[in-house]
Structures are given as C-alpha cells and as structure tokens.
Amino acid sequence: MNLLSREFNLRLHLSFAKKRSVLSTRDMSQLDLTHRPRRNRRTAAIRKLVQENAVTANDLIQPLFVIDGEGEPEAIASMPGQMRWTLPTLIEECKELHTLGINAVALFPKLDTSLKNETGDEALNPETLVLRAVRAVKEAVPELAIITDVALDPYTSHGHDGVFNEAGTDIDNDVTVEKLAAMAVLNAEAGADYVAPSDMMDGRVWAIRDALDAAGLTGTGIMAYSAKFASAYYGPFRDAVGSAKAAGTTLLGKDTYQLNPANRREAMVETELDEIEGADILMVKPAGPYLDIIRDLRENTHLPVAAYQVSGEYAQIHAAAEKGWLDLERCRDESLLAIKRAGADMILTYFAKDVARAGNEGA
Ligand code: PBG
C-alpha cells in the first residue's frame, strides 16, 4: 500500500513536470499513469472475472408465514408478495421453492388470538400449527431444510418472546429458557433441521443443546439469533404474525433482551457465548443496517454466519419501488450483495424466491 502510493506520487510528479516541458507538442489530456484501475472494469466480461462476491439461490433461506385452515393464502399488506400460507398451499409453495433451487425455509406460525395466553402455553402443544407444518413439509419435500423459530412471541397474548416474572416487571429469563428448550425438542422431533432461538434470553443455546441431546436429537442443529438487535425494522413481521403488542405499546418493549442498536462490542459478547454454548450457525439481525456487525462476526468466528434481512428492510425497498423512487430488482440484488460482501454465508430474506427465479432466468 505504502509502496504503491509512493510510486504513484512520484509518477504523478514526473508526469506533470514532463507535461510542462512538452506543452505544445503533447496532448495535455493524457496523464502518465501506471495504475488505471478502470482497466479491470472496461468490459462486462472483465467485470465478471474480477467480481469478488455473488449471491446465488444456494445462499438464501425463504421465511414463510403459516396459518391454520385449508383455503387460499392471505396477503400481508406491509410485505408485498408475502403470504400467510395454509398448510396445503404451504406445501405447494415449498415444492416450488425447492424446484427453483432454494435449499431452506424458516417457518413462522400466526396463531388465532384465542390460542394465545400470558404464558404462551400453545408453544408446547404437540399438535400446534408449526409442528404440523414441519411434518407436512418434511413429508412432501424431504430435501428442503427446515428452520423453526424458538421464541414465545407467536404464542403470548402480550407478544413478548418470553414469560413475565411474578411482579410483571420484566421477562423472566430462566423460566423462559426452560420453555424454549422444551419447544426446541418438539420442533426437532417434528423434523426441523435447525432450531433457531430468536428470543435473546441468556443461556438458551446451552439449554437447548442439552435438551436436544438428552432426547437423542444430536443431529438437529442450532441456528442462533446471536446478535439480534431491538430494531424498529421488525414492524411488518409483527403485523404478519400478530405479535405487535410488545413492540412498545405495552409498558415494556423488547429492550431488556434484544441488543441496543448502539452496541458493537456487546454483539460480540453474545455471539461468543452462543458459540461456546454449542450453536452451529451464528446470526446477525437485522442485516442491512448492521453490516459492521456481520463483518465483526465474520472475523471473530470460524462458524457459518447467517444474516436476516428483516421485514422492514424488505418493506422499505418495496415501498420506494412502488412510488417509482427506486428500482426494485436492482436494489434487492444490491442489498443482498452488500450483506454477502460484509461476510454472511447465508441470508434469510423475503426476496429468496424472487432472486432464485431471476437467477434461473439468467438475470
Ligand atoms: C420473534 C421474531 C421476530 C423476527 C423473527 N423472529 C420479531 C421480533 O423479535 O419481535 C423478525 C423478523 C422480521 O422482521 O422479518 N422472535
């Protein structure tokens, strides 16, 4: 670097000196440069040769919302193109995703409010919606990897990821962890390839690994939402699964468990703990506004790194495109490439299907 810049300065100096002396005979517009980085961008062929990063369907995980019933899927207003799938339509969607080259889906149930309570008991019902969905997808498309979310927010009436302490002042860490471990075992037994704790309780990865192993489920992986920030970008997701209540409208937001968006070192504390506790894949979430954290994590672990391009990141690209202010496809591809370049091995994104389809069309 130093050598290069010294040579560069010298050249520039000589070239201007020379120019001054041959002013009348030489074209003033040509600099005497050794290094012209634009050479490597001259043609499309060359640009492809020197391209450092790429996003393919292999890297992408499609999150899917699930509802009970047999009928047509429901559209989600704040997430254009995304649906709440009923089980029969979920299966068709998964078959299509697999055909397009998508390797994995992450399932999120939206429950009827009548099934929710203070303690999220429905999460431990062995016939709860997400377990039926996992079994059905595994049977129909066994090659597809399934990731299930481990957190109580779809099941609690208040929308928090855990249960309240007796005083009702905070989410009780240890009681919640015990429930999450039981929930993870149910998910794994149903056929989930990875369970993905998204709750940010302390010690949950350890407790889940322990419970899975005790149940003989040694092959089920843990994709840990390790650096999950208390982000406003989850808004549309909370509409989609009906967990919006906790998002600041109740006494307590999720700030006592999710990370402060201002904190970079604390994110590394969380990821290191999850690695020690037995996580197989470490995740950063959201992705686009947290590229520095993805890069930090890439440089701090040898485990695979996942990043979650969340609902708000998806919604904002769609909203601007709808207004004609941004090009949807180009911003989609650029946003995912940036996440890849930052160091993510895999990306959970609502754009997964669109990107796979565009890739197959040779775009
Ligand atoms: C819940 C969960 C959330 C998301 C994934 N799992 C929301 C939250 O923490 O309130 C967000 C995903 C998205 O916004 O796309 N544990």
Side-chain angles (χ1 to χ4, degrees):
M1 191 56 135
N2 241 344
L3 245 181
L4 189 70
S5 62
R6 216 177 305 140
E7 197 219 274
F8 186 77
N9 283 335
L10 184 69
R11 281 266 167 186
L12 213 56
H13 179 77
L14 289 175
S15 110
F16 283 127
K18 190 162 93 198
K19 288 247 162 61
R20 251 176 269 118
S21 65
V22 292
L23 244 188
S24 51
T25 55
R26 276 202 51 183
D27 178 8
M28 257 301 281
S29 65
Q30 185 184 316
L31 295 177
D32 185 15
L33 295 179
T34 306
H35 298 282
R36 289 181 182 271
R38 287 185 59 193
R39 282 185 202 115
N40 285 346
R41 299 176 215 136
R42 215 163 42 78
T43 68
I46 293 169
R47 288 194 293 274
K48 281 181 197 161
L49 284 176
V50 301
Q51 177 159 335
E52 298 173 32
N53 293 285
V55 174
T56 73
N58 277 338
D59 312 315
L60 304 179
I61 298 165
Q62 174 76 51
L64 295 169
F65 300 104
V66 192
I67 50 169
D68 235 318
E70 304 285 314
E72 288 302 303
E74 292 173 9
I76 302 165
S78 52
M79 302 179 70
Q82 301 302 305
M83 301 287 181
R84 298 189 192 98
W85 304 95
T86 57
L87 291 190
T89 56
L90 175 72
I91 289 170
E92 291 315 305
E93 180 66 6
C94 286
K95 284 183 185 164
E96 200 182 329
L97 287 167
H98 176 61
T99 309
L100 287 169
I102 296 291
N103 297 306
V105 295
L107 301 180
F108 296 95
K110 179 185 191 285
L111 297 190
D112 197 89
T113 357
S114 66
L115 292 171
K116 302 186 185 193
N117 65 11
E118 275 281 308
T119 43
D121 297 340
E122 173 64 14
L124 299 181
N125 172 359
E127 287 306 314
T128 192
L129 174 60
V130 77
L131 300 178
R132 284 181 281 124
V134 171
R135 290 184 205 117
V137 173
K138 255 299 157 209
E139 197 186 322
V141 202
E143 304 88 347
L144 198 61
I146 303 179
I147 299 154
T148 54
D149 210 60
V150 177
L152 293 179
D153 56 304
Y155 306 97
T156 52
S157 42
H158 41 73
H160 275 290
D161 293 24
V163 297
F164 274 93
N165 57 18
E166 268 176 40
T169 51
D170 196 3
I171 298 304
D172 188 317
N173 191 87
D174 300 11
V175 174
T176 299
V177 165
E178 214 168 296
K179 284 183 180 264
L180 297 175
M183 193 178 167
V185 170
L186 288 175
N187 287 335
E189 282 170 349
D193 295 278
Y194 286 88
V195 292
S198 68
D199 55 289
M200 290 300 284
M201 298 299 133
D202 296 335
R204 90 281 206 216
V205 170
W206 172 81
I208 289 171
R209 186 70 269 158
D210 201 47
L212 290 174
D213 291 349
L217 298 158
T218 52
T220 309
I222 300 177
M223 177 186 282
Y225 286 73
S226 302
K228 176 170 177 177
F229 289 86
S231 172
Y233 285 91
Y234 307 148
F237 175 97
R238 290 173 184 168
D239 283 347
V241 303
S243 68
K245 258 193 176 170
T249 54
T250 55
L251 285 178
L252 182 72
K254 295 193 175 187
D255 301 2
T256 72
Y257 43 103
Q258 298 179 350
L259 285 165
N260 180 344
N263 292 357
R264 183 175 161 192
R265 295 190 313 263
E266 193 182 2
M268 291 304 103
V269 172
E270 286 287 0
T271 58
E272 276 169 33
L273 281 172
D274 283 359
E275 180 159 357
I276 293 165
E277 290 179 24
D280 300 282
I281 299 174
L282 303 173
M283 193 201 297
V284 175
K285 175 187 177 187
Y290 294 85
L291 296 180
D292 56 330
I293 310 294
I294 297 174
R295 170 53 47 187
D296 284 348
L297 179 53
R298 177 67 290 153
E299 286 169 5
N300 271 286
T301 183
H302 291 129
L303 287 179
V305 171
Y308 198 143
Q309 183 182 52
V310 300
S311 56
E313 299 177 72
Y314 176 83
Q316 71 183 358
I317 293 175
H318 265 283
E322 224 168 78
K323 283 193 170 275
W325 292 346
L326 285 179
D327 182 298
L328 179 67
E329 282 78 28
R330 292 186 58 202
C331 285
R332 171 193 76 197
D333 293 348
E334 186 178 334
S335 68
L336 294 170
L337 190 57
I339 295 164
K340 202 71 208 295
R341 191 195 61 230
D345 298 293
M346 66 194 91
I347 308 172
L348 292 99
T349 172
Y350 301 96
F351 287 123
K353 186 183 185 184
D354 296 343
V355 172
R357 204 191 273 122
N360 291 341
E361 283 161 7

PDB file of all heavy atoms in Angstrom, residues 93-123:
ATOM      1  N   GLU A  93     -46.037 -24.228  -2.136  1.00  0.00           N
ATOM      2  CA  GLU A  93     -45.012 -23.179  -2.172  1.00  0.00           C
ATOM      3  C   GLU A  93     -43.617 -23.786  -1.936  1.00  0.00           C
ATOM      4  O   GLU A  93     -42.649 -23.428  -2.609  1.00  0.00           O
ATOM      5  CB  GLU A  93     -45.329 -22.101  -1.121  1.00  0.00           C
ATOM      6  CG  GLU A  93     -44.350 -20.946  -1.058  1.00  0.00           C
ATOM      7  CD  GLU A  93     -44.337 -20.059  -2.297  1.00  0.00           C
ATOM      8  OE1 GLU A  93     -45.188 -20.254  -3.201  1.00  0.00           O
ATOM      9  OE2 GLU A  93     -43.459 -19.173  -2.369  1.00  0.00           O
ATOM     10  N   CYS A  94     -43.530 -24.695  -0.989  1.00  0.00           N
ATOM     11  CA  CYS A  94     -42.231 -25.314  -0.679  1.00  0.00           C
ATOM     12  C   CYS A  94     -41.719 -26.146  -1.841  1.00  0.00           C
ATOM     13  O   CYS A  94     -40.524 -26.159  -2.138  1.00  0.00           O
ATOM     14  CB  CYS A  94     -42.330 -26.152   0.592  1.00  0.00           C
ATOM     15  SG  CYS A  94     -42.428 -25.137   2.072  1.00  0.00           S
ATOM     16  N   LYS A  95     -42.637 -26.839  -2.518  1.00  0.00           N
ATOM     17  CA  LYS A  95     -42.231 -27.616  -3.700  1.00  0.00           C
ATOM     18  C   LYS A  95     -41.655 -26.679  -4.758  1.00  0.00           C
ATOM     19  O   LYS A  95     -40.628 -26.967  -5.365  1.00  0.00           O
ATOM     20  CB  LYS A  95     -43.438 -28.360  -4.289  1.00  0.00           C
ATOM     21  CG  LYS A  95     -43.855 -29.582  -3.494  1.00  0.00           C
ATOM     22  CD  LYS A  95     -45.015 -30.282  -4.192  1.00  0.00           C
ATOM     23  CE  LYS A  95     -45.523 -31.447  -3.355  1.00  0.00           C
ATOM     24  NZ  LYS A  95     -46.859 -31.909  -3.798  1.00  0.00           N
ATOM     25  N   GLU A  96     -42.348 -25.554  -4.944  1.00  0.00           N
ATOM     26  CA  GLU A  96     -41.889 -24.610  -5.961  1.00  0.00           C
ATOM     27  C   GLU A  96     -40.529 -24.025  -5.586  1.00  0.00           C
ATOM     28  O   GLU A  96     -39.640 -23.899  -6.437  1.00  0.00           O
ATOM     29  CB  GLU A  96     -42.948 -23.502  -6.111  1.00  0.00           C
ATOM     30  CG  GLU A  96     -42.843 -22.773  -7.418  1.00  0.00           C
ATOM     31  CD  GLU A  96     -43.867 -21.645  -7.535  1.00  0.00           C
ATOM     32  OE1 GLU A  96     -44.974 -21.777  -6.957  1.00  0.00           O
ATOM     33  OE2 GLU A  96     -43.530 -20.636  -8.174  1.00  0.00           O
ATOM     34  N   LEU A  97     -40.376 -23.669  -4.320  1.00  0.00           N
ATOM     35  CA  LEU A  97     -39.094 -23.110  -3.867  1.00  0.00           C
ATOM     36  C   LEU A  97     -37.965 -24.106  -4.111  1.00  0.00           C
ATOM     37  O   LEU A  97     -36.892 -23.738  -4.585  1.00  0.00           O
ATOM     38  CB  LEU A  97     -39.167 -22.759  -2.375  1.00  0.00           C
ATOM     39  CG  LEU A  97     -40.010 -21.534  -2.022  1.00  0.00           C
ATOM     40  CD1 LEU A  97     -40.276 -21.480  -0.525  1.00  0.00           C
ATOM     41  CD2 LEU A  97     -39.315 -20.255  -2.487  1.00  0.00           C
ATOM     42  N   HIS A  98     -38.237 -25.350  -3.794  1.00  0.00           N
ATOM     43  CA  HIS A  98     -37.217 -26.384  -3.975  1.00  0.00           C
ATOM     44  C   HIS A  98     -36.853 -26.527  -5.456  1.00  0.00           C
ATOM     45  O   HIS A  98     -35.671 -26.607  -5.818  1.00  0.00           O
ATOM     46  CB  HIS A  98     -37.714 -27.717  -3.411  1.00  0.00           C
ATOM     47  CG  HIS A  98     -36.772 -28.839  -3.647  1.00  0.00           C
ATOM     48  ND1 HIS A  98     -35.487 -28.842  -3.154  1.00  0.00           N
ATOM     49  CD2 HIS A  98     -36.899 -29.986  -4.363  1.00  0.00           C
ATOM     50  CE1 HIS A  98     -34.878 -29.949  -3.542  1.00  0.00           C
ATOM     51  NE2 HIS A  98     -35.712 -30.660  -4.274  1.00  0.00           N
ATOM     52  N   THR A  99     -37.870 -26.513  -6.316  1.00  0.00           N
ATOM     53  CA  THR A  99     -37.624 -26.604  -7.760  1.00  0.00           C
ATOM     54  C   THR A  99     -36.785 -25.430  -8.246  1.00  0.00           C
ATOM     55  O   THR A  99     -35.949 -25.566  -9.137  1.00  0.00           O
ATOM     56  CB  THR A  99     -38.972 -26.616  -8.530  1.00  0.00           C
ATOM     57  OG1 THR A  99     -39.792 -27.628  -7.947  1.00  0.00           O
ATOM     58  CG2 THR A  99     -38.782 -26.906  -9.997  1.00  0.00           C
ATOM     59  N   LEU A 100     -36.997 -24.264  -7.644  1.00  0.00           N
ATOM     60  CA  LEU A 100     -36.245 -23.072  -8.061  1.00  0.00           C
ATOM     61  C   LEU A 100     -34.810 -23.080  -7.526  1.00  0.00           C
ATOM     62  O   LEU A 100     -34.013 -22.212  -7.875  1.00  0.00           O
ATOM     63  CB  LEU A 100     -36.958 -21.806  -7.570  1.00  0.00           C
ATOM     64  CG  LEU A 100     -38.243 -21.418  -8.297  1.00  0.00           C
ATOM     65  CD1 LEU A 100     -38.975 -20.312  -7.548  1.00  0.00           C
ATOM     66  CD2 LEU A 100     -37.941 -20.966  -9.724  1.00  0.00           C
ATOM     67  N   GLY A 101     -34.500 -24.024  -6.639  1.00  0.00           N
ATOM     68  CA  GLY A 101     -33.130 -24.107  -6.133  1.00  0.00           C
ATOM     69  C   GLY A 101     -32.925 -23.565  -4.732  1.00  0.00           C
ATOM     70  O   GLY A 101     -31.793 -23.440  -4.273  1.00  0.00           O
ATOM     71  N   ILE A 102     -34.015 -23.235  -4.049  1.00  0.00           N
ATOM     72  CA  ILE A 102     -33.896 -22.793  -2.652  1.00  0.00           C
ATOM     73  C   ILE A 102     -33.725 -24.035  -1.763  1.00  0.00           C
ATOM     74  O   ILE A 102     -34.450 -25.019  -1.922  1.00  0.00           O
ATOM     75  CB  ILE A 102     -35.155 -21.996  -2.226  1.00  0.00           C
ATOM     76  CG1 ILE A 102     -35.283 -20.703  -3.028  1.00  0.00           C
ATOM     77  CG2 ILE A 102     -35.156 -21.714  -0.725  1.00  0.00           C
ATOM     78  CD1 ILE A 102     -34.246 -19.646  -2.723  1.00  0.00           C
ATOM     79  N   ASN A 103     -32.762 -23.980  -0.852  1.00  0.00           N
ATOM     80  CA  ASN A 103     -32.445 -25.149  -0.015  1.00  0.00           C
ATOM     81  C   ASN A 103     -33.123 -25.166   1.339  1.00  0.00           C
ATOM     82  O   ASN A 103     -33.149 -26.200   1.998  1.00  0.00           O
ATOM     83  CB  ASN A 103     -30.935 -25.221   0.227  1.00  0.00           C
ATOM     84  CG  ASN A 103     -30.170 -25.423  -1.056  1.00  0.00           C
ATOM     85  OD1 ASN A 103     -30.448 -26.362  -1.794  1.00  0.00           O
ATOM     86  ND2 ASN A 103     -29.230 -24.544  -1.335  1.00  0.00           N
ATOM     87  N   ALA A 104     -33.593 -24.009   1.782  1.00  0.00           N
ATOM     88  CA  ALA A 104     -34.094 -23.960   3.157  1.00  0.00           C
ATOM     89  C   ALA A 104     -35.212 -22.939   3.318  1.00  0.00           C
ATOM     90  O   ALA A 104     -35.236 -21.901   2.645  1.00  0.00           O
ATOM     91  CB  ALA A 104     -32.952 -23.616   4.116  1.00  0.00           C
ATOM     92  N   VAL A 105     -36.131 -23.259   4.235  1.00  0.00           N
ATOM     93  CA  VAL A 105     -37.196 -22.326   4.597  1.00  0.00           C
ATOM     94  C   VAL A 105     -37.194 -22.160   6.120  1.00  0.00           C
ATOM     95  O   VAL A 105     -36.782 -23.060   6.847  1.00  0.00           O
ATOM     96  CB  VAL A 105     -38.597 -22.821   4.145  1.00  0.00           C
ATOM     97  CG1 VAL A 105     -38.676 -22.878   2.621  1.00  0.00           C
ATOM     98  CG2 VAL A 105     -38.933 -24.187   4.744  1.00  0.00           C
ATOM     99  N   ALA A 106     -37.636 -20.980   6.568  1.00  0.00           N
ATOM    100  CA  ALA A 106     -37.805 -20.730   8.008  1.00  0.00           C
ATOM    101  C   ALA A 106     -39.291 -20.494   8.235  1.00  0.00           C
ATOM    102  O   ALA A 106     -39.893 -19.632   7.580  1.00  0.00           O
ATOM    103  CB  ALA A 106     -36.987 -19.510   8.435  1.00  0.00           C
ATOM    104  N   LEU A 107     -39.884 -21.284   9.111  1.00  0.00           N
ATOM    105  CA  LEU A 107     -41.343 -21.231   9.287  1.00  0.00           C
ATOM    106  C   LEU A 107     -41.743 -20.399  10.513  1.00  0.00           C
ATOM    107  O   LEU A 107     -41.158 -20.538  11.596  1.00  0.00           O
ATOM    108  CB  LEU A 107     -41.903 -22.645   9.439  1.00  0.00           C
ATOM    109  CG  LEU A 107     -41.644 -23.600   8.263  1.00  0.00           C
ATOM    110  CD1 LEU A 107     -42.272 -24.967   8.554  1.00  0.00           C
ATOM    111  CD2 LEU A 107     -42.180 -23.034   6.949  1.00  0.00           C
ATOM    112  N   PHE A 108     -42.757 -19.555  10.317  1.00  0.00           N
ATOM    113  CA  PHE A 108     -43.281 -18.707  11.393  1.00  0.00           C
ATOM    114  C   PHE A 108     -44.801 -18.833  11.450  1.00  0.00           C
ATOM    115  O   PHE A 108     -45.483 -18.469  10.488  1.00  0.00           O
ATOM    116  CB  PHE A 108     -42.912 -17.240  11.141  1.00  0.00           C
ATOM    117  CG  PHE A 108     -41.433 -16.993  11.163  1.00  0.00           C
ATOM    118  CD1 PHE A 108     -40.698 -16.991   9.985  1.00  0.00           C
ATOM    119  CD2 PHE A 108     -40.767 -16.770  12.360  1.00  0.00           C
ATOM    120  CE1 PHE A 108     -39.321 -16.775  10.009  1.00  0.00           C
ATOM    121  CE2 PHE A 108     -39.396 -16.540  12.393  1.00  0.00           C
ATOM    122  CZ  PHE A 108     -38.673 -16.551  11.215  1.00  0.00           C
ATOM    123  N   PRO A 109     -45.334 -19.350  12.555  1.00  0.00           N
ATOM    124  CA  PRO A 109     -46.785 -19.514  12.636  1.00  0.00           C
ATOM    125  C   PRO A 109     -47.482 -18.218  13.047  1.00  0.00           C
ATOM    126  O   PRO A 109     -46.943 -17.437  13.838  1.00  0.00           O
ATOM    127  CB  PRO A 109     -46.936 -20.553  13.747  1.00  0.00           C
ATOM    128  CG  PRO A 109     -45.754 -20.326  14.637  1.00  0.00           C
ATOM    129  CD  PRO A 109     -44.640 -19.848  13.752  1.00  0.00           C
ATOM    130  N   LYS A 110     -48.667 -17.997  12.481  1.00  0.00           N
ATOM    131  CA  LYS A 110     -49.540 -16.941  13.008  1.00  0.00           C
ATOM    132  C   LYS A 110     -50.768 -17.640  13.581  1.00  0.00           C
ATOM    133  O   LYS A 110     -51.535 -18.263  12.855  1.00  0.00           O
ATOM    134  CB  LYS A 110     -49.981 -15.966  11.929  1.00  0.00           C
ATOM    135  CG  LYS A 110     -50.905 -14.904  12.509  1.00  0.00           C
ATOM    136  CD  LYS A 110     -51.471 -13.972  11.480  1.00  0.00           C
ATOM    137  CE  LYS A 110     -52.162 -12.789  12.133  1.00  0.00           C
ATOM    138  NZ  LYS A 110     -53.472 -13.138  12.706  1.00  0.00           N
ATOM    139  N   LEU A 111     -50.914 -17.485  14.889  1.00  0.00           N
ATOM    140  CA  LEU A 111     -51.987 -18.203  15.564  1.00  0.00           C
ATOM    141  C   LEU A 111     -53.225 -17.347  15.722  1.00  0.00           C
ATOM    142  O   LEU A 111     -53.150 -16.120  15.796  1.00  0.00           O
ATOM    143  CB  LEU A 111     -51.531 -18.611  16.966  1.00  0.00           C
ATOM    144  CG  LEU A 111     -50.356 -19.566  17.070  1.00  0.00           C
ATOM    145  CD1 LEU A 111     -50.223 -20.045  18.496  1.00  0.00           C
ATOM    146  CD2 LEU A 111     -50.513 -20.741  16.135  1.00  0.00           C
ATOM    147  N   ASP A 112     -54.323 -18.023  15.823  1.00  0.00           N
ATOM    148  CA  ASP A 112     -55.560 -17.383  16.193  1.00  0.00           C
ATOM    149  C   ASP A 112     -55.389 -16.822  17.611  1.00  0.00           C
ATOM    150  O   ASP A 112     -54.796 -17.488  18.469  1.00  0.00           O
ATOM    151  CB  ASP A 112     -56.658 -18.452  16.170  1.00  0.00           C
ATOM    152  CG  ASP A 112     -58.009 -17.817  16.139  1.00  0.00           C
ATOM    153  OD1 ASP A 112     -58.485 -17.554  15.027  1.00  0.00           O
ATOM    154  OD2 ASP A 112     -58.569 -17.575  17.238  1.00  0.00           O
ATOM    155  N   THR A 113     -55.910 -15.593  17.839  1.00  0.00           N
ATOM    156  CA  THR A 113     -55.716 -14.975  19.166  1.00  0.00           C
ATOM    157  C   THR A 113     -56.281 -15.830  20.290  1.00  0.00           C
ATOM    158  O   THR A 113     -55.778 -15.769  21.416  1.00  0.00           O
ATOM    159  CB  THR A 113     -56.414 -13.590  19.244  1.00  0.00           C
ATOM    160  OG1 THR A 113     -56.991 -13.308  17.970  1.00  0.00           O
ATOM    161  CG2 THR A 113     -55.429 -12.503  19.599  1.00  0.00           C
ATOM    162  N   SER A 114     -57.285 -16.624  19.973  1.00  0.00           N
ATOM    163  CA  SER A 114     -57.893 -17.457  21.024  1.00  0.00           C
ATOM    164  C   SER A 114     -56.908 -18.478  21.587  1.00  0.00           C
ATOM    165  O   SER A 114     -57.112 -19.015  22.673  1.00  0.00           O
ATOM    166  CB  SER A 114     -59.124 -18.174  20.466  1.00  0.00           C
ATOM    167  OG  SER A 114     -58.719 -19.093  19.471  1.00  0.00           O
ATOM    168  N   LEU A 115     -55.835 -18.771  20.852  1.00  0.00           N
ATOM    169  CA  LEU A 115     -54.854 -19.762  21.317  1.00  0.00           C
ATOM    170  C   LEU A 115     -53.723 -19.142  22.140  1.00  0.00           C
ATOM    171  O   LEU A 115     -52.852 -19.842  22.651  1.00  0.00           O
ATOM    172  CB  LEU A 115     -54.249 -20.492  20.116  1.00  0.00           C
ATOM    173  CG  LEU A 115     -55.187 -21.411  19.338  1.00  0.00           C
ATOM    174  CD1 LEU A 115     -54.527 -21.893  18.051  1.00  0.00           C
ATOM    175  CD2 LEU A 115     -55.613 -22.595  20.200  1.00  0.00           C
ATOM    176  N   LYS A 116     -53.732 -17.802  22.244  1.00  0.00           N
ATOM    177  CA  LYS A 116     -52.626 -17.139  22.965  1.00  0.00           C
ATOM    178  C   LYS A 116     -53.003 -16.908  24.421  1.00  0.00           C
ATOM    179  O   LYS A 116     -54.160 -16.648  24.733  1.00  0.00           O
ATOM    180  CB  LYS A 116     -52.329 -15.783  22.314  1.00  0.00           C
ATOM    181  CG  LYS A 116     -51.974 -15.897  20.834  1.00  0.00           C
ATOM    182  CD  LYS A 116     -51.543 -14.557  20.271  1.00  0.00           C
ATOM    183  CE  LYS A 116     -51.311 -14.651  18.770  1.00  0.00           C
ATOM    184  NZ  LYS A 116     -50.623 -13.489  18.224  1.00  0.00           N
ATOM    185  N   ASN A 117     -51.996 -16.990  25.291  1.00  0.00           N
ATOM    186  CA  ASN A 117     -52.222 -16.586  26.676  1.00  0.00           C
ATOM    187  C   ASN A 117     -50.951 -15.955  27.246  1.00  0.00           C
ATOM    188  O   ASN A 117     -49.932 -15.853  26.552  1.00  0.00           O
ATOM    189  CB  ASN A 117     -52.738 -17.751  27.537  1.00  0.00           C
ATOM    190  CG  ASN A 117     -51.720 -18.872  27.692  1.00  0.00           C
ATOM    191  OD1 ASN A 117     -50.558 -18.719  27.334  1.00  0.00           O
ATOM    192  ND2 ASN A 117     -52.162 -19.988  28.233  1.00  0.00           N
ATOM    193  N   GLU A 118     -51.015 -15.555  28.498  1.00  0.00           N
ATOM    194  CA  GLU A 118     -49.900 -14.870  29.167  1.00  0.00           C
ATOM    195  C   GLU A 118     -48.607 -15.677  29.106  1.00  0.00           C
ATOM    196  O   GLU A 118     -47.518 -15.120  28.995  1.00  0.00           O
ATOM    197  CB  GLU A 118     -50.259 -14.686  30.655  1.00  0.00           C
ATOM    198  CG  GLU A 118     -51.075 -13.454  30.955  1.00  0.00           C
ATOM    199  CD  GLU A 118     -50.208 -12.203  30.989  1.00  0.00           C
ATOM    200  OE1 GLU A 118     -49.190 -12.209  31.703  1.00  0.00           O
ATOM    201  OE2 GLU A 118     -50.543 -11.229  30.285  1.00  0.00           O
ATOM    202  N   THR A 119     -48.727 -16.997  29.221  1.00  0.00           N
ATOM    203  CA  THR A 119     -47.543 -17.838  29.338  1.00  0.00           C
ATOM    204  C   THR A 119     -47.204 -18.597  28.047  1.00  0.00           C
ATOM    205  O   THR A 119     -46.268 -19.389  28.022  1.00  0.00           O
ATOM    206  CB  THR A 119     -47.725 -18.841  30.503  1.00  0.00           C
ATOM    207  OG1 THR A 119     -49.062 -19.370  30.445  1.00  0.00           O
ATOM    208  CG2 THR A 119     -47.560 -18.142  31.842  1.00  0.00           C
ATOM    209  N   GLY A 120     -47.950 -18.338  26.998  1.00  0.00           N
ATOM    210  CA  GLY A 120     -47.627 -18.940  25.699  1.00  0.00           C
ATOM    211  C   GLY A 120     -47.699 -20.450  25.675  1.00  0.00           C
ATOM    212  O   GLY A 120     -46.905 -21.112  24.987  1.00  0.00           O
ATOM    213  N   ASP A 121     -48.665 -21.011  26.401  1.00  0.00           N
ATOM    214  CA  ASP A 121     -48.724 -22.475  26.557  1.00  0.00           C
ATOM    215  C   ASP A 121     -48.871 -23.239  25.238  1.00  0.00           C
ATOM    216  O   ASP A 121     -48.410 -24.384  25.120  1.00  0.00           O
ATOM    217  CB  ASP A 121     -49.891 -22.868  27.478  1.00  0.00           C
ATOM    218  CG  ASP A 121     -49.695 -22.316  28.879  1.00  0.00           C
ATOM    219  OD1 ASP A 121     -48.537 -21.990  29.222  1.00  0.00           O
ATOM    220  OD2 ASP A 121     -50.692 -22.208  29.624  1.00  0.00           O
ATOM    221  N   GLU A 122     -49.501 -22.596  24.262  1.00  0.00           N
ATOM    222  CA  GLU A 122     -49.726 -23.288  22.985  1.00  0.00           C
ATOM    223  C   GLU A 122     -48.400 -23.722  22.330  1.00  0.00           C
ATOM    224  O   GLU A 122     -48.360 -24.671  21.548  1.00  0.00           O
ATOM    225  CB  GLU A 122     -50.536 -22.367  22.051  1.00  0.00           C
ATOM    226  CG  GLU A 122     -50.733 -22.844  20.629  1.00  0.00           C
ATOM    227  CD  GLU A 122     -51.560 -24.140  20.484  1.00  0.00           C
ATOM    228  OE1 GLU A 122     -52.227 -24.554  21.458  1.00  0.00           O
ATOM    229  OE2 GLU A 122     -51.521 -24.725  19.374  1.00  0.00           O
ATOM    230  N   ALA A 123     -47.304 -23.044  22.683  1.00  0.00           N
ATOM    231  CA  ALA A 123     -45.995 -23.400  22.112  1.00  0.00           C
ATOM    232  C   ALA A 123     -45.620 -24.841  22.442  1.00  0.00           C
ATOM    233  O   ALA A 123     -44.856 -25.473  21.714  1.00  0.00           O
ATOM    234  CB  ALA A 123     -44.915 -22.454  22.638  1.00  0.00           C
TER     235      ALA A 123
END
